[in-house]
Amino acid sequence: MDNCVFSIIKQNKSKGNKSLALLLDPDKVDLKNPQVLLEYLENISPDIVLVGGSLMLSHKLDQLVQLIKLETAFKTVLFPGNTLHLSHLADGILFLSLISGRNPDLLIGQHVHAAPVLKKSNLEVIPTGYMLIDGGKTTTANYISNTLPIPAHKPEIAACTALAGQMLGLHCIYLDGGSGAEKPVPEAMIKMVRHEIEIPLVVGGGIKSVSIAQKAYLAGADMLVVGTQFENGPSEVIEIARLRERFSKTIT
Ligand code: 1GP
């Protein structure tokens, strides 16, 4: 069986199953006590572990990726804020083009610098149409990217943008309300994007409860990304993981 990272997501999607990605920010995990993190990881059993963030103040990226690689069977995928956020120890990387914005550096500029480095690495490169959606407050990603997020009440802009991303050959679309978003990506927007595209649809930002997760899955998200709620206390994320399992059993 093809065991590459993107295949995990695609195979889940083709079987009608839902996926869950746990996002770990190296600045926010306690690596002095890794056992706690590893136990939570086993409990949640995410389909993939995303590692990254808009900014990184610590230098723990390699250390965190190595820990997951050595101690678990989970695939680690980089979710880089910029070209400096690289770890050759990871399994893959979301090669993000910020298609919701009009900042050329984040549409293609940084990619030009990263491409030859990635070619020499063993990282699986996952071309991703990354779309920032207004989640009710200015997020680090909005500020750092110097772009306007798509207004939450304009699902048609998101749908056309995602469709253009698919036509450009991107492999998946990631709708992100931003880390700690007050409001998650609206169901109406997820539905309209889902209706327009066939490639896997990833949704994240402000998924803090089982009920929010359920609505996003039902609206058509193939994979949810949860970060802040894990940092706030993993019990709800364990429930979201159970929901994913129940959901998948129900609809297959
Ligand atoms: C942020 O989508 C991710 O880029 C996760 O968001 O931290 O709000 O879960 P949260």
Side-chain angles (χ1 to χ4, degrees):
M1 184 180 86
D2 188 351
N3 199 27
C4 71
V5 177
F6 191 60
S7 288
I8 297 173
I9 303 167
K10 267 209 325 198
Q11 279 169 11
N12 278 349
K13 177 171 160 52
S14 67
K15 289 182 197 156
N17 291 343
K18 300 294 185 180
S19 303
L20 178 66
L22 184 67
L23 172 61
L24 298 179
D25 181 338
D27 281 355
K28 295 181 183 157
V29 290
D30 181 8
L31 290 177
K32 288 187 193 124
N33 196 3
Q35 215 46 46
V36 177
L37 173 66
L38 294 172
E39 277 170 28
Y40 283 133
L41 271 176
E42 289 302 328
N43 255 316
I44 293 167
S45 194
D47 295 279
I48 59 170
V49 179
L50 287 178
V51 182
S54 297
L55 286 174
M56 274 188 220
L57 281 82
S58 66
H59 299 280
K60 295 191 292 191
L61 178 61
D62 272 336
Q63 203 187 338
L64 177 57
V65 172
Q66 189 167 36
L67 173 75
I68 298 165
K69 206 174 172 82
L70 290 179
E71 301 292 337
T72 78
F74 301 117
K75 299 280 186 194
T76 52
V77 180
L78 302 173
F79 177 42
N82 62 53
T83 48
L84 298 175
H85 297 170
L86 268 188
S87 169
H88 293 277
L89 304 171
D91 296 293
I93 180 168
L94 296 185
F95 200 46
L96 303 166
S97 183
L98 183 56
I99 59 175
S100 61
R102 298 298 177 266
N103 178 342
D105 197 38
L106 300 178
L107 275 165
I108 182 64
Q110 297 219 2
H111 314 67
V112 174
H113 298 289
V117 179
L118 293 176
K119 189 178 178 189
K120 283 200 184 117
S121 78
N122 288 319
L123 291 165
E124 178 187 334
V125 175
I126 304 170
T128 303
Y130 187 48
M131 295 169 53
L132 292 173
I133 312 300
D134 190 351
K137 68 177 186 187
T138 304
T139 62
T140 308
N142 287 144
Y143 180 80
I144 295 284
S145 67
N146 199 17
T147 65
L148 270 183
I150 294 178
H153 64 287
K154 295 285 184 188
E156 66 278 12
I157 298 179
C160 293
T161 307
L163 182 58
Q166 176 175 284
M167 287 175 171
L168 283 166
L170 297 168
H171 288 193
C172 63
I173 295 292
Y174 182 171
L175 303 179
D176 194 352
S179 186
E182 279 169 3
K183 296 177 196 152
V185 177
E187 289 162 78
M189 183 177 281
I190 299 172
K191 272 187 195 157
M192 200 178 277
V193 170
R194 168 78 291 151
H195 183 74
E196 289 299 333
I197 63 169
E198 287 81 45
I199 55 178
L201 177 58
V202 182
V203 176
I207 297 181
K208 6 180 207 249
S209 69
V210 171
S211 127
I212 292 172
Q214 183 163 25
K215 285 176 189 159
Y217 278 142
L218 282 170
D222 296 306
M223 182 166 81
L224 297 183
V225 180
V226 179
T228 304
Q229 190 57 42
F230 180 74
E231 291 155 17
N232 291 342
S235 57
E236 192 71 15
V237 187
I238 294 171
E239 290 308 312
I240 293 173
R242 303 284 171 273
L243 166 80
R244 167 204 50 179
E245 286 157 20
R246 287 199 302 276
F247 201 95
S248 296
K249 277 179 199 151
T250 311
I251 62 172
T252 50

